[in-house]
PDB file of all heavy atoms in Angstrom:
ATOM      1  N   LEU A 114    -196.891-135.455 -58.461  1.00  0.00           N
ATOM      2  CA  LEU A 114    -196.909-136.067 -57.135  1.00  0.00           C
ATOM      3  C   LEU A 114    -196.757-137.589 -57.250  1.00  0.00           C
ATOM      4  O   LEU A 114    -195.931-138.203 -56.548  1.00  0.00           O
ATOM      5  CB  LEU A 114    -198.221-135.699 -56.443  1.00  0.00           C
ATOM      6  CG  LEU A 114    -198.485-136.171 -55.020  1.00  0.00           C
ATOM      7  CD1 LEU A 114    -199.498-135.236 -54.350  1.00  0.00           C
ATOM      8  CD2 LEU A 114    -199.021-137.600 -54.962  1.00  0.00           C
ATOM      9  N   ALA A 118    -193.598-139.873 -55.974  1.00  0.00           N
ATOM     10  CA  ALA A 118    -193.843-140.863 -54.923  1.00  0.00           C
ATOM     11  C   ALA A 118    -193.492-142.272 -55.377  1.00  0.00           C
ATOM     12  O   ALA A 118    -192.880-143.054 -54.634  1.00  0.00           O
ATOM     13  CB  ALA A 118    -195.303-140.803 -54.481  1.00  0.00           C
ATOM     14  N   ARG A 119    -193.854-142.618 -56.600  1.00  0.00           N
ATOM     15  CA  ARG A 119    -193.663-143.979 -57.088  1.00  0.00           C
ATOM     16  C   ARG A 119    -192.409-144.147 -57.956  1.00  0.00           C
ATOM     17  O   ARG A 119    -192.202-145.187 -58.568  1.00  0.00           O
ATOM     18  CB  ARG A 119    -194.906-144.439 -57.852  1.00  0.00           C
ATOM     19  CG  ARG A 119    -196.158-144.591 -56.976  1.00  0.00           C
ATOM     20  CD  ARG A 119    -195.992-145.606 -55.850  1.00  0.00           C
ATOM     21  NE  ARG A 119    -195.574-146.896 -56.369  1.00  0.00           N
ATOM     22  CZ  ARG A 119    -196.400-147.846 -56.792  1.00  0.00           C
ATOM     23  NH1 ARG A 119    -197.715-147.635 -56.768  1.00  0.00           N
ATOM     24  NH2 ARG A 119    -195.943-148.991 -57.248  1.00  0.00           N
ATOM     25  N   GLY A 143    -191.308-147.277 -54.092  1.00  0.00           N
ATOM     26  CA  GLY A 143    -191.610-145.901 -53.732  1.00  0.00           C
ATOM     27  C   GLY A 143    -192.468-145.843 -52.482  1.00  0.00           C
ATOM     28  O   GLY A 143    -192.351-146.688 -51.596  1.00  0.00           O
ATOM     29  N   THR A 144    -193.358-144.863 -52.441  1.00  0.00           N
ATOM     30  CA  THR A 144    -194.237-144.712 -51.287  1.00  0.00           C
ATOM     31  C   THR A 144    -195.681-144.611 -51.760  1.00  0.00           C
ATOM     32  O   THR A 144    -195.959-144.090 -52.844  1.00  0.00           O
ATOM     33  CB  THR A 144    -193.864-143.463 -50.455  1.00  0.00           C
ATOM     34  OG1 THR A 144    -194.670-143.405 -49.295  1.00  0.00           O
ATOM     35  CG2 THR A 144    -194.028-142.185 -51.255  1.00  0.00           C
ATOM     36  N   ASP A 145    -196.596-145.135 -50.980  1.00  0.00           N
ATOM     37  CA  ASP A 145    -198.012-145.086 -51.342  1.00  0.00           C
ATOM     38  C   ASP A 145    -198.542-143.652 -51.347  1.00  0.00           C
ATOM     39  O   ASP A 145    -198.030-142.764 -50.641  1.00  0.00           O
ATOM     40  CB  ASP A 145    -198.839-145.911 -50.361  1.00  0.00           C
ATOM     41  CG  ASP A 145    -198.779-147.405 -50.639  1.00  0.00           C
ATOM     42  OD1 ASP A 145    -198.516-147.772 -51.804  1.00  0.00           O
ATOM     43  OD2 ASP A 145    -198.999-148.187 -49.696  1.00  0.00           O
ATOM     44  N   ILE A 146    -199.596-143.471 -52.105  1.00  0.00           N
ATOM     45  CA  ILE A 146    -200.295-142.191 -52.163  1.00  0.00           C
ATOM     46  C   ILE A 146    -201.640-142.303 -51.453  1.00  0.00           C
ATOM     47  O   ILE A 146    -202.033-141.405 -50.707  1.00  0.00           O
ATOM     48  CB  ILE A 146    -200.491-141.769 -53.633  1.00  0.00           C
ATOM     49  CG1 ILE A 146    -199.133-141.618 -54.306  1.00  0.00           C
ATOM     50  CG2 ILE A 146    -201.293-140.475 -53.735  1.00  0.00           C
ATOM     51  CD1 ILE A 146    -199.160-141.797 -55.794  1.00  0.00           C
ATOM     52  N   HIS A 147    -202.324-143.419 -51.667  1.00  0.00           N
ATOM     53  CA  HIS A 147    -203.642-143.609 -51.067  1.00  0.00           C
ATOM     54  C   HIS A 147    -203.568-143.601 -49.541  1.00  0.00           C
ATOM     55  O   HIS A 147    -202.593-144.049 -48.945  1.00  0.00           O
ATOM     56  CB  HIS A 147    -204.283-144.919 -51.549  1.00  0.00           C
ATOM     57  CG  HIS A 147    -203.490-146.141 -51.209  1.00  0.00           C
ATOM     58  ND1 HIS A 147    -202.477-146.634 -52.003  1.00  0.00           N
ATOM     59  CD2 HIS A 147    -203.551-146.967 -50.138  1.00  0.00           C
ATOM     60  CE1 HIS A 147    -201.968-147.716 -51.456  1.00  0.00           C
ATOM     61  NE2 HIS A 147    -202.597-147.940 -50.315  1.00  0.00           N
ATOM     62  N   HIS A 148    -204.599-143.037 -48.938  1.00  0.00           N
ATOM     63  CA  HIS A 148    -204.752-142.956 -47.481  1.00  0.00           C
ATOM     64  C   HIS A 148    -203.670-142.113 -46.794  1.00  0.00           C
ATOM     65  O   HIS A 148    -203.528-142.182 -45.570  1.00  0.00           O
ATOM     66  CB  HIS A 148    -204.812-144.358 -46.851  1.00  0.00           C
ATOM     67  CG  HIS A 148    -205.979-145.152 -47.333  1.00  0.00           C
ATOM     68  ND1 HIS A 148    -205.839-146.247 -48.156  1.00  0.00           N
ATOM     69  CD2 HIS A 148    -207.319-144.997 -47.121  1.00  0.00           C
ATOM     70  CE1 HIS A 148    -207.039-146.745 -48.431  1.00  0.00           C
ATOM     71  NE2 HIS A 148    -207.960-146.007 -47.822  1.00  0.00           N
ATOM     72  N   LYS A 149    -202.932-141.356 -47.564  1.00  0.00           N
ATOM     73  CA  LYS A 149    -201.937-140.447 -46.987  1.00  0.00           C
ATOM     74  C   LYS A 149    -202.562-139.057 -46.805  1.00  0.00           C
ATOM     75  O   LYS A 149    -203.720-138.823 -47.164  1.00  0.00           O
ATOM     76  CB  LYS A 149    -200.701-140.365 -47.877  1.00  0.00           C
ATOM     77  CG  LYS A 149    -199.918-141.664 -47.997  1.00  0.00           C
ATOM     78  CD  LYS A 149    -199.252-142.023 -46.676  1.00  0.00           C
ATOM     79  CE  LYS A 149    -198.403-143.295 -46.792  1.00  0.00           C
ATOM     80  NZ  LYS A 149    -197.202-143.113 -47.616  1.00  0.00           N
ATOM     81  N   PHE A 170    -208.120-140.944 -54.029  1.00  0.00           N
ATOM     82  CA  PHE A 170    -207.086-141.759 -53.395  1.00  0.00           C
ATOM     83  C   PHE A 170    -207.318-141.866 -51.885  1.00  0.00           C
ATOM     84  O   PHE A 170    -206.422-142.276 -51.150  1.00  0.00           O
ATOM     85  CB  PHE A 170    -205.702-141.158 -53.676  1.00  0.00           C
ATOM     86  CG  PHE A 170    -205.247-141.341 -55.090  1.00  0.00           C
ATOM     87  CD1 PHE A 170    -205.726-140.536 -56.106  1.00  0.00           C
ATOM     88  CD2 PHE A 170    -204.336-142.339 -55.420  1.00  0.00           C
ATOM     89  CE1 PHE A 170    -205.317-140.715 -57.418  1.00  0.00           C
ATOM     90  CE2 PHE A 170    -203.919-142.523 -56.724  1.00  0.00           C
ATOM     91  CZ  PHE A 170    -204.416-141.708 -57.731  1.00  0.00           C
ATOM     92  N   MET A 172    -207.409-139.677 -49.618  1.00  0.00           N
ATOM     93  CA  MET A 172    -206.417-138.922 -48.860  1.00  0.00           C
ATOM     94  C   MET A 172    -207.093-137.976 -47.867  1.00  0.00           C
ATOM     95  O   MET A 172    -208.196-137.476 -48.120  1.00  0.00           O
ATOM     96  CB  MET A 172    -205.525-138.110 -49.812  1.00  0.00           C
ATOM     97  CG  MET A 172    -204.779-138.942 -50.840  1.00  0.00           C
ATOM     98  SD  MET A 172    -203.705-137.940 -51.911  1.00  0.00           S
ATOM     99  CE  MET A 172    -202.243-137.812 -50.854  1.00  0.00           C
ATOM    100  N   ASP A 204    -197.989-135.678 -45.683  1.00  0.00           N
ATOM    101  CA  ASP A 204    -197.077-136.593 -46.374  1.00  0.00           C
ATOM    102  C   ASP A 204    -196.669-136.014 -47.730  1.00  0.00           C
ATOM    103  O   ASP A 204    -195.577-136.295 -48.229  1.00  0.00           O
ATOM    104  CB  ASP A 204    -197.757-137.947 -46.591  1.00  0.00           C
ATOM    105  CG  ASP A 204    -198.110-138.622 -45.281  1.00  0.00           C
ATOM    106  OD1 ASP A 204    -197.181-138.939 -44.519  1.00  0.00           O
ATOM    107  OD2 ASP A 204    -199.320-138.800 -45.014  1.00  0.00           O
ATOM    108  N   PHE A 205    -197.563-135.216 -48.300  1.00  0.00           N
ATOM    109  CA  PHE A 205    -197.286-134.520 -49.561  1.00  0.00           C
ATOM    110  C   PHE A 205    -197.637-133.057 -49.367  1.00  0.00           C
ATOM    111  O   PHE A 205    -198.789-132.726 -49.075  1.00  0.00           O
ATOM    112  CB  PHE A 205    -198.122-135.103 -50.707  1.00  0.00           C
ATOM    113  CG  PHE A 205    -197.846-136.555 -50.979  1.00  0.00           C
ATOM    114  CD1 PHE A 205    -198.611-137.542 -50.378  1.00  0.00           C
ATOM    115  CD2 PHE A 205    -196.811-136.934 -51.824  1.00  0.00           C
ATOM    116  CE1 PHE A 205    -198.356-138.884 -50.616  1.00  0.00           C
ATOM    117  CE2 PHE A 205    -196.551-138.283 -52.060  1.00  0.00           C
ATOM    118  CZ  PHE A 205    -197.319-139.252 -51.462  1.00  0.00           C
ATOM    119  N   ILE A 233    -192.907-135.508 -49.254  1.00  0.00           N
ATOM    120  CA  ILE A 233    -192.542-135.135 -50.620  1.00  0.00           C
ATOM    121  C   ILE A 233    -193.103-133.753 -50.904  1.00  0.00           C
ATOM    122  O   ILE A 233    -194.282-133.479 -50.656  1.00  0.00           O
ATOM    123  CB  ILE A 233    -193.068-136.169 -51.634  1.00  0.00           C
ATOM    124  CG1 ILE A 233    -192.273-137.466 -51.477  1.00  0.00           C
ATOM    125  CG2 ILE A 233    -192.973-135.644 -53.065  1.00  0.00           C
ATOM    126  CD1 ILE A 233    -192.770-138.606 -52.332  1.00  0.00           C
TER     127      ILE A 233
END
Side-chain angles (χ1 to χ4, degrees):
L114 182 156
R119 294 300 305 272
T144 184
D145 281 335
I146 299 155
H147 60 273
H148 298 110
K149 295 292 183 69
F170 288 78
M172 301 182 83
D204 298 297
F205 299 93
I233 290 175

